[in-house]
Amino acid sequence: MMLVDIPDVGTIIGVFITFVLGVFAIIIYNKIKPLIRTRTDLLNSYTERLQYYENQLIDMKIRLDSVELLKETGELEIPIPRPKEIRVEKQAASDTREEKPKERMHNMNFVNATDYVLRLITEKPMTSRDIQITIGRTREHTSRMMKKLFEEGLVERNMQTKPFNYYITDKGKTKLGIAKIILQQ
């Protein structure tokens, strides 16, 4: 026969109270947990929205810079808005008007795109993504073009940054005709 020692009453009460407090703490934690998750989810949501708007602002800044550059070089004509004329036309069955086809933007061939990109990076270095957004081409097209410009020595890459920042070289400035002419004496 085995004898079992029964602990004293104080120890039993202490274990029981600790058990009840543990159960109570778990219940309270489960009640508070959804509130804690909601706050962190809310903060994550705000952070994502801020990042989205920051990206939008960066894109708009790049586009504004490209429009200003085009305006300075004279390649951009800004139309002056005219007040709309109100016409009252009689509808006749025999009235057939031909609509003018909408004017399409001309495709930039590689030489024009190259000159355009070189002009863009004359003012300040730009990333491939900035250039891609500005010229409206695909990532692949832009990276191929920047690689070719780099290999020709028209641009340099800042390898210290990711993504690379591209800036124009003296050879690139000479190609654009904006290099400083040094008079030899």
Side-chain angles (χ1 to χ4, degrees), residues 87 161 164 175 178:
R87 293 184 182 180
T161 61
F164 300 136
K175 182 178 183 333
I178 58 174

Side-chain angles (χ1 to χ4, degrees), residues 29-183:
Y29 175 75
N30 285 333
K31 295 284 183 181
I32 294 175
K33 187 168 65 171
L35 296 176
I36 294 170
R37 279 192 186 154
T38 304
R39 287 184 183 162
T40 55
D41 290 345
L42 189 60
L43 287 175
N44 288 339
S45 141
Y46 286 150
T47 305
E48 289 173 6
R49 288 177 72 189
L50 282 173
Q51 184 67 36
Y52 170 77
Y53 288 126
E54 181 180 7
N55 290 339
Q56 292 294 321
L57 286 171
I58 290 170
D59 288 348
M60 283 192 255
K61 174 72 171 118
I62 292 168
R63 288 182 183 147
L64 180 63
D65 288 346
S66 67
V67 168
E68 287 175 353
L69 182 65
L70 285 174
K71 186 177 176 185
E72 288 174 6
T73 59
E75 294 178 21
L76 177 69
E77 295 178 15
I78 301 175
I80 300 172
R82 290 184 270 157
K84 292 183 179 179
E85 298 176 8
I86 301 174
R87 293 184 182 180
V88 178
E89 296 182 16
K90 295 179 183 177
Q91 293 180 352
S94 63
D95 185 24
T96 56
R97 294 187 324 190
E98 290 184 22
E99 290 187 27
K100 292 181 181 179
K102 291 187 179 181
E103 222 174 289
R104 291 179 53 198
M105 289 183 61
H106 67 290
N107 288 335
M108 290 192 288
N109 62 19
F110 193 76
V111 175
N112 289 340
T114 301
D115 292 347
Y116 182 70
V117 168
L118 290 175
R119 281 194 177 94
L120 279 177
I121 61 175
T122 300
E123 294 287 323
K124 63 177 183 172
M126 295 178 82
T127 64
S128 183
R129 173 75 175 145
D130 296 342
I131 295 167
Q132 172 198 346
I133 291 170
T134 305
I135 65 174
R137 296 294 179 104
T138 64
R139 180 179 57 84
E140 293 81 11
H141 175 85
T142 306
S143 63
R144 280 193 307 268
M145 181 172 53
M146 295 312 294
K147 181 180 178 186
K148 183 173 182 182
L149 291 174
F150 177 72
E151 290 170 350
E152 290 176 359
L154 299 173
V155 299
E156 281 293 323
R157 298 181 189 162
N158 181 356
M159 303 278 203
Q160 304 299 323
T161 61
K162 292 284 183 177
F164 300 136
N165 278 330
Y166 290 93
Y167 56 93
I168 193 164
T169 62
D170 290 335
K171 185 177 177 183
K173 289 178 182 177
T174 304
K175 182 178 183 333
L176 290 178
I178 58 174
K180 296 179 182 176
I181 300 173
I182 301 173
L183 298 174

